[in-house]
Amino acid sequence: MVLDKKRQTWKLVTARSEAFISPKGESFKGDFANIRNSRGWSSTLIASIDKKPLKESTRILILHLSDVKNTNMRFDDPEMTILRASGTTPHLARRAESVVTFNDAREGWKLYALRQDGSRGGEVEIERANAKASAKLSTVRGKSVVFAYELVKE
């Protein structure tokens, strides 16, 4: 685990997960994937769903989170530490965009944006070049807010 106060970043790499937190413009290298934040603050988690190491897993969850709040959520202080009203759905998300690049071509794999209930939404394009695969993660896709993705070998 690496915390860099000067860059305001955090990174954790294990055999079954990799996690990164950073502002816009920062990049990270993991053993399984690299992340480049191109817009806004975000937290990204890449985790094996089937309890295998990422390099052997056939189902992987990717969480891509930004500043998220409920509609009409209210706080009693500017630091937003004292919650007055929890609000309601829909969730409001600050737009964040990142590019995840996998350390191989991920041939035969698909990436799906997940709906708020965990079901699969639309397929997300995976670009392949130079024996690597990459995909753009965004907390906003059309009129939908997306926080989770499933990367699956099909």
Side-chain angles (χ1 to χ4, degrees):
M1 180 169 43
V2 178
L3 171 66
D4 186 330
K5 286 184 177 182
K6 184 176 181 180
R7 289 176 48 209
Q8 298 182 322
T9 63
W10 180 84
K11 169 178 144 175
L12 174 71
V13 175
T14 72
R16 294 192 327 202
S17 64
E18 297 185 356
F20 313 95
I21 301 173
S22 76
K24 174 185 174 181
E26 292 292 337
S27 297
F28 296 95
K29 292 185 185 283
D31 294 336
F32 178 75
N34 302 327
I35 296 285
R36 180 177 47 82
N37 278 2
S38 54
R39 181 175 180 168
W41 275 88
S42 69
S43 301
T44 305
L45 169 72
I46 302 169
S48 168
I49 295 174
D50 53 17
K51 298 184 181 178
K52 296 177 185 174
L54 283 169
K55 293 177 183 178
E56 299 170 18
S57 179
T58 57
R59 287 189 68 215
I60 296 170
L61 174 68
I62 301 174
L63 299 179
H64 182 243
L65 307 169
S66 64
D67 184 13
V68 180
K69 294 189 178 43
N70 285 336
T71 299
N72 296 318
M73 194 172 196
R74 300 286 182 253
F75 296 89
D76 280 346
D77 62 327
E79 293 80 22
M80 294 189 222
T81 59
I82 303 170
L83 182 64
R84 165 150 320 256
S86 59
T88 61
T89 55
H91 301 295
L92 305 174
R94 188 174 306 271
R95 183 183 294 270
E97 295 175 353
S98 300
V99 174
V100 58
T101 301
F102 303 100
N103 292 332
D104 62 22
R106 297 276 108 186
E107 293 295 341
W109 289 72
K110 290 189 177 182
L111 181 65
Y112 295 97
L114 299 179
R115 295 183 184 100
Q116 297 295 309
D117 66 2
S119 65
R120 286 182 181 171
E123 187 174 343
V124 177
E125 180 182 1
I126 296 176
E127 295 181 11
R128 292 175 176 86
N130 302 319
K132 294 185 184 274
S134 64
K136 181 179 175 183
L137 307 178
S138 180
T139 54
V140 178
R141 291 191 171 275
K143 293 185 178 185
S144 299
V145 176
V146 177
F147 303 123
Y149 298 82
E150 179 186 19
L151 179 65
V152 62
K153 185 167 185 150
E154 292 187 334

